[in-house]
Amino acid sequence: MKLTGVELRRISIPLVAPFRTSFGVETTRDILLLRAVLDGQGLDGQAEGWGECVAMSDPLYSSEYVDASVDVLKRFMLPKLFSLDHVDGAAVGPALEPFKGHWMSKAVVETAVLDAELRGTGRSFARELGATRDRVPCGVSVGIHNSVGALLESVAGYVSAGYVRIKLKIEPGWDLEPVRAVRERFGDDLLIQVDANTAYTLQDARHLARLDEFDLLLMEQPLPEEDVLGHAELARLVKTPICLDESITSARTAAAAIRLGACSIVNIKPGRVGGYLEARRIHDVCRANGIAVWCGGMLETGLGRAANIALAALPGFTLPGDTSASDRYYKTDITEPFILSADGHLDVPTGPGLGVTPLPDQLAAVTTWTEWVAA
Ligand code: NPQ
Ligand code: MG
């Protein structure tokens, strides 16, 4: 199989409400999509597949951003893949390995090629990755609000929609009070966790230990991405389990973080680690070490969401993920929407590849730019 061409497409899609985190506010997602066209042996002629890049427009979550992704794909990654005689999902990672970093760009092209390959042979992402469930329990990530009252109203809506776990975004000045209020209002049975997106330092350890009384499932990425050792220190000073997100960029960094005692739980985001195949390797490393994992989210449309739900159906995903329904973020998704069941689950797609494709009208309505890159 050859990669004969790629369509790069940018879409601009409004969020149902602003999403505020410790690193900024997002009101509209500016997303890069990639459509890969494969030709040849093993396929019925041509096959095409889609990927969704999780980079934001600005490098605020990590160093990656959309314009850089377009650039590195066009300048380095696509020419490399076009030069290969045989391309399939498994070949993309090794071929791009010489290029440092740029995990989100690697992930989008690997996902699109894998989708094309699987569609060409009728296999689903879930089957290919090793899913063992046909539906997954879902959590929801709740942004920083202007007041505790407004936060409680939002959380009440998600709880009544069926979400089985609530994640509260925190930052210095928005931590103990909102967490206490949500715990008091919704009771001891609600599964609650927090995510700081690197907003604290080890100096804040005593303050973060005050979260221990709220019986949280975990605290996610309190310290900077590079401060793995700091997380190991912090883990000795707080009772709440430490979960790493930004610090985990590969199975190797996951293994090192586990060995250091920097985390007892890992948030796996396929886009942040170079794709679904590396995400599965992180799952395997964690499972072998008794470390629980869950599937993170980057406000994906139905394309990225479909693949995340397939991944979240693997056996080591023992905690609910940020795999929310489409309407958590978008009024109109670009695929058939993912709809939450009354008991807070989403069905794992079963069709070939991702099991979903963009709806042409919806896609056209949000597209701001396209470019065809031929081999
Ligand atoms: C996290 N996601 O776990 C991320 C952070 C995040 C669901 O909390 C645009 C694109 C806005 C990606 C905001 C969730 C975003 C984004 C937050 C990712 O850390
Ligand atoms: Mg996070």
Side-chain angles (χ1 to χ4, degrees):
M1 284 180 300
K2 287 275 289 179
L3 182 63
T4 56
V6 157
E7 181 190 79
L8 298 175
R9 179 185 289 260
R10 281 173 84 150
I11 63 171
S12 175
I13 176 164
L15 297 173
V16 291
F19 186 50
R20 181 171 156 206
T21 64
S22 63
F23 58 80
V25 189
E26 195 87 348
T27 54
T28 302
R29 283 285 280 126
D30 167 22
I31 302 176
L32 173 68
L33 304 180
L34 189 154
R35 181 171 61 92
V37 179
L38 292 182
D39 210 339
Q41 193 207 345
L43 297 172
D44 240 2
Q46 280 198 336
E48 64 171 46
W50 288 88
E52 172 174 347
C53 183
V54 302
M56 305 174 63
S57 4
D58 301 354
L60 298 175
Y61 165 81
S62 73
S63 63
E64 297 183 60
Y65 60 100
V66 182
D67 286 318
S69 189
V70 170
D71 187 74
V72 77
L73 282 162
K74 282 171 59 176
R75 196 182 295 275
F76 300 105
M77 295 181 178
L78 297 177
K80 173 74 196 210
L81 295 174
F82 290 146
S83 77
L84 302 180
D85 288 332
H86 183 80
V87 173
D88 59 14
V92 173
L96 301 182
E97 206 264 337
F99 304 122
K100 312 299 188 199
H102 294 284
W103 319 110
M104 295 176 179
S105 308
K106 292 175 179 174
V108 67
V109 63
E110 182 192 89
T111 304
V113 169
L114 191 54
D115 184 34
E117 176 196 344
L118 296 177
R119 280 183 209 275
T121 55
R123 291 172 288 158
S124 70
F125 255 67
R127 182 190 142 175
E128 186 67 10
L129 294 173
T132 53
R133 283 170 286 181
D134 57 14
R135 62 203 295 264
V136 298
C138 299
V140 60
S141 178
V142 186
I144 294 167
H145 280 56
N146 290 330
S147 69
V148 168
L151 174 71
L152 291 175
E153 206 177 301
S154 289
V155 172
Y158 295 129
V159 168
S160 63
Y163 286 106
V164 304
R165 173 283 265 160
I166 299 292
K167 162 167 138 182
L168 302 177
K169 290 292 193 176
I170 60 168
E171 66 181 2
W174 180 265
D175 45 29
L176 301 175
E177 198 199 347
V179 170
R180 174 178 290 113
V182 171
R183 177 55 84 209
E184 281 177 1
R185 162 84 178 266
F186 298 96
D188 292 343
D189 290 343
L190 183 65
L191 302 181
I192 307 174
Q193 63 193 52
V194 293
D195 185 2
N197 289 110
T198 76
Y200 296 86
T201 71
L202 196 52
Q203 310 294 322
D204 298 312
R206 283 212 294 182
H207 179 73
L208 291 168
R210 295 180 64 193
L211 289 166
D212 288 344
E213 66 171 293
F214 303 116
D215 197 23
L216 303 176
L217 279 172
L218 59 90
M219 78 170 72
E220 181 178 345
Q221 197 73 39
L223 309 181
E225 177 179 331
E226 302 78 10
D227 198 7
V228 176
L229 196 54
H231 284 96
E233 300 276 322
L234 182 65
R236 289 186 205 101
L237 301 171
V238 302
K239 293 202 186 71
T240 308
I242 305 290
C243 170
L244 290 178
D245 173 358
E246 285 89 331
S247 296
I248 305 296
T249 52
S250 63
R252 186 170 288 147
T253 54
I258 294 165
R259 175 75 79 86
L260 271 173
C263 61
S264 49
I265 299 169
V266 170
N267 168 347
I268 302 183
K269 287 184 181 151
R272 193 194 61 228
V273 303
Y276 289 85
L277 301 179
E278 187 71 8
R280 179 172 61 186
R281 288 189 280 272
I282 297 176
H283 160 274
D284 295 346
V285 164
C286 289
R287 196 156 181 242
N289 283 277
I291 298 291
V293 304
W294 54 279
C295 183
M298 293 288 279
L299 288 50
E300 290 90 347
T301 71
L303 287 176
R305 201 161 292 286
N308 287 350
I309 294 162
L311 181 72
L314 268 64
F317 284 77
T318 53
L319 291 167
D322 285 342
T323 50
S324 306
S326 295
D327 71 357
R328 157 69 184 86
Y329 295 111
Y330 305 111
K331 184 158 162 278
T332 310
D333 206 332
I334 60 166
T335 63
E336 288 296 334
F338 284 88
I339 297 169
L340 199 71
S341 70
D343 65 347
H345 286 62
L346 288 178
D347 289 333
V348 178
T350 55
L354 296 173
V356 298
T357 42
L359 302 168
D361 291 349
Q362 256 105 298
L363 185 62
V366 294
T367 296
T368 57
W369 173 86
T370 61
E371 184 170 324
W372 175 253
V373 188

